[in-house]
Amino acid sequence: MMVSTSIHVVVIGLLTRAECFSPSAYSTAPQRISSSPSNNNNRKAVILHEIVTDADTETTQDERISDPASVVFYDDLLDPDNPTGVVCARGVCVLTDDDYDFSAPPSGSEAGSLDTATESKQESIIDKFLHSWIGPRLMLAFASILYGTNFPLGAMMNESLPPSAATSARMLLASVALSPFLFKLEKSLAPKALLCGCFTALGYITQSLSLVDTSPAKVAFIGAATVIVCPALEVIVNKKNMSITNQPQTWLAATLCLVGVGILELYDPTGATALSDIFSQIGVGDGLAVLQAVGFGTSFFLTERMMTQVPGQALPITAVQVSVSAFLCMIWSFLDGWIGTAGAESYGIPAMFFEPSLQTAAWAVAWTGLITTALNRFIETTALGKMKSAEASVILATEPLWASLFAALWLKEDFGANDYIGGALIVGACLATALKKDDFKAFGDFFGDDNDDDTTSSVEGGSFE
């Protein structure tokens, strides 16, 4: 089955020959890009991007949509057929559902009602749930809870299996589950999706390795440092103006995150560690957890670039990401040296399900591969189109909290003051990404309009655990 995964990757690579993207790669004439979404978005138009190369042409945030978690900017020229824009969160971008107003819960006599066109239709219970205000938000909260199970289950898998075997099996199951979407990828996105898949693999591999000797809660909290990675890439790749006067929310998030990680790593609430030995508390697993954030953060950034260019490609892009991850994890398994050793025949699929000592790990592999990797992306894309990006980012920011809860319940982890304080600051950093510049007006003219200049920012005209 691992060989079939590599075949998928090779075929995707042969689908098209195009340059990997960079800011200069989009210096072309304005064009309308048609999409082939994998969900209900196939009936909607996509954004008409005007690629800006003239320094005198201003590129501004589309005020009709919320600022995405990774601060995605669009050109001020939009397709009039798509007035609601694109919603982005956690590396997923979808066209908003413009059939209903999901911006606020219904009230008064309109509570629970839908528009006239929809009322004339017989809707199933599922449709009514999806078209309600609370439904999509419950779905996204459920997705965040599912993501939180990845970390303690990853630690449990590592107790019975080599990390390479556990991660390889997980990615293999996810790639098989998402394989129907693999060849629905837009050909123009193939080389970019392959590159993105390499960073996704970096995230999964380093996450699995860090869970060997680092607590799942700490790995989850450090993984939230993606709130620093994405804005850093905006500056490096898009040459975007990220000054404190222009993006105060980004600086607030970065400060909270760095202080939170510092407290997690360096603060000893027992006082037993001498000041001279404070840095000795940082282990290899902590460094790998930081690399996890770099891998996933870069993957989120690249995914949003692709999906802003061609919305509706969440599942095809995810299929490529997990297929590339499965292929690279297969190589990792060969290099790890356990293949061919005594007893290693039980580490593969489906043999691990029939080995009594590995059944707990096997079901954890199945859960993380099929549910929290494959199914969760479907849940996420279904819910995102029915709310604002800022709101979605706040809901998804609860992931490390759920990871901590499950680690305490399943692994009996104990938490110290450094975990509570550092974790709270990191979650606060995630919540800060949902703020806008206008929210800082109380601080006076320091964040005034005089410094609101986005002329240097690039259009993400090729603006995912």
Side-chain angles (χ1 to χ4, degrees), residues 149-150 153-154 157 166 170-171 174 363-374 465:
T149 65
N150 281 331
L153 289 179
M157 289 187 289
R170 172 188 176 182
M171 292 297 103
W363 287 112
V365 166
W367 175 267
T368 56
L370 298 176
I371 305 300
T372 64
T373 302
E465 263 165 57

Side-chain angles (χ1 to χ4, degrees), residues 20-26 195 199 229-242 298 301-302 305 456-460 462-463:
C20 289
F21 57 95
S22 63
S24 60
Y26 295 104
L195 175 63
F199 284 101
V229 176
C230 290
L233 289 171
E234 289 281 358
V235 175
I236 296 171
V237 178
N238 290 342
K239 310 301 181 185
K240 181 178 173 182
N241 180 7
M242 298 291 287
T298 306
F301 174 79
L302 299 180
R305 285 176 64 97
T456 59
S457 64
S458 300
V459 176
E460 290 208 348
S463 154

Side-chain angles (χ1 to χ4, degrees), residues 64-67 87-89 96 101-104 137 140 383-395 436:
R64 288 168 290 186
I65 60 176
S66 297
D67 196 22
V87 178
C88 297
T96 55
D101 180 14
F102 297 99
S103 59
R137 287 154 182 82
L140 203 60
L384 270 183
K386 298 172 173 62
M387 67 184 71
K388 296 179 179 180
S389 296
E391 188 177 4
S393 298
V394 169
I395 295 174
K436 299 179 182 179

Side-chain angles (χ1 to χ4, degrees), residues 386-411:
K386 298 172 173 62
M387 67 184 71
K388 296 179 179 180
S389 296
E391 188 177 4
S393 298
V394 169
I395 295 174
L396 292 171
T398 62
E399 176 190 332
L401 299 178
W402 294 111
S404 300
L405 175 62
F406 290 123
L409 292 176
W410 298 342
L411 304 178

